[in-house]
Amino acid sequence: MKKATSALILGAALAMGPTLTATAAPGGLEVSRDGVSYSSTLSGSLLADIATMVPGDTQQGSLYVRNSSSKPGFLRIVLSNVSYSDLDLANAISVLATAGGVRGQQIPITLADPCWVLSEGQVVPSNGVSRIDLGAALGNLDGLRGQGGTANASLGISLSDLTPGSLSPSNCGVPDVAIPVTPGAVGRGTVSTPSDPPASESGDLVANDPDLPVLGLGEALGIDPNTWHLWEEYWVLVPLGAFVVGTMMFGVVFWRRRRDDEQTESAA
């Protein structure tokens, strides 16, 4: 398989207010996909098409966070709840977050054990809004490595008065919002395993195909259409009957020939 190198392309630019110093935990974080409608939760996942990724592909997703409290707070973003079935695939998947105009470090998802900080320290003022861009890349995988593997992850976002760096990068902290990064399982997109046979054209013979042609001969052939009982126990009568009929026809022909011979001899 041709080697492909991964590249992560992320746009990052957040309109932020003046630099502030967070002095107390704000206690309020709202999220939005469009930067207009906010709520305490975000439906769906950030990356919708990641399951189709092949080596060298990237995916991007964005959201907005708003500080609904009366005080500013430090923004902290962690990668968490990482699970995977194939280590090669997991090592090839990397993520990167950009917030507050600051680009975080690109890391493999295997580093999040149980969590890993993607970005922290950006100040969000009271009623302020910040945009977060998250990207994922699938790096090089040789041959069949990673095929059939799956991976999952989520994003934890929090606002607090904790001094940036006071928690270790692997400390999950207490996220205000948890958002799925993937809609389900991330798989290597080059694998295709159909679970069902394709529907057949009329007349094709595919096992268990509901579209198979139906013979309408039914009872005319002595077949029970519900059980497909072919009455095979009576088939032995077919050769027996043929033997009897053949013997009778042979007797008739022999008798007629003998009679004709006798009549010829009498005439002579």
Side-chain angles (χ1 to χ4, degrees):
M1 177 178 178
K2 185 178 179 180
K3 293 185 177 180
T5 55
S6 64
L8 190 60
I9 304 173
L10 286 174
L14 314 185
M16 299 292 297
T19 302
L20 299 174
T21 301
T23 58
L29 179 67
E30 296 177 322
V31 290
S32 170
R33 288 191 180 276
D34 56 11
V36 177
S37 303
Y38 288 86
S39 67
S40 59
T41 60
L42 193 71
S43 61
S45 62
L46 285 178
L47 306 178
D49 300 324
I50 197 168
T52 62
M53 292 176 67
V54 296
D57 282 355
T58 62
Q59 295 286 333
Q60 301 180 58
S62 300
L63 74 153
Y64 297 83
V65 295
R66 182 171 67 183
N67 182 356
S68 58
S69 72
S70 59
K71 296 183 178 182
F74 290 115
L75 184 65
R76 190 170 191 261
I77 306 169
V78 298
L79 183 69
S80 60
N81 298 323
V82 173
S83 63
Y84 49 86
S85 64
D86 187 282
L87 182 59
D88 289 331
L89 175 67
N91 282 328
I93 300 174
S94 58
V95 294
L96 170 70
T98 302
V102 179
R103 174 176 169 148
Q105 182 182 7
Q106 182 175 341
I107 66 165
I109 64 172
T110 50
L111 192 59
D113 184 17
C115 298
W116 195 264
V117 172
L118 298 178
S119 177
E120 68 175 334
Q122 294 73 47
V123 177
V124 184
S126 175
N127 295 318
V129 173
S130 179
R131 173 174 166 169
I132 300 173
D133 293 312
L134 180 74
L138 181 59
N140 177 57
L141 283 167
D142 293 328
L144 299 178
R145 294 173 63 185
Q147 285 198 2
T150 60
N152 291 280
S154 64
L155 205 65
I157 307 174
S158 61
L159 280 174
S160 74
D161 62 348
L162 291 175
T163 302
S166 60
L167 296 178
S168 68
S170 60
N171 191 318
C172 298
V174 184
D176 296 311
V177 178
I179 302 171
V181 173
T182 59
V186 183
R188 182 170 172 181
T190 55
V191 179
S192 177
T193 307
S195 57
D196 298 314
S200 69
E201 299 291 338
S202 178
D204 290 346
L205 296 181
V206 179
N208 300 320
D209 190 337
D211 296 330
L212 286 174
V214 178
L215 299 177
L217 301 180
E219 297 179 358
L221 296 178
I223 299 174
D224 185 342
N226 295 317
T227 64
W228 290 103
H229 187 189
L230 301 180
W231 308 106
E232 59 271 17
E233 61 268 27
Y234 297 109
W235 288 7
V236 68
L237 298 179
V238 174
L240 182 61
F243 174 77
V244 172
V245 172
T247 301
M248 293 176 62
M249 293 181 64
F250 176 79
V252 170
V253 171
F254 178 79
W255 175 79
R256 293 188 60 181
R257 177 172 295 180
R258 184 175 180 180
R259 188 187 62 177
D260 292 341
D261 290 344
E262 290 176 352
Q263 291 178 352
T264 302
E265 291 177 356
S266 298

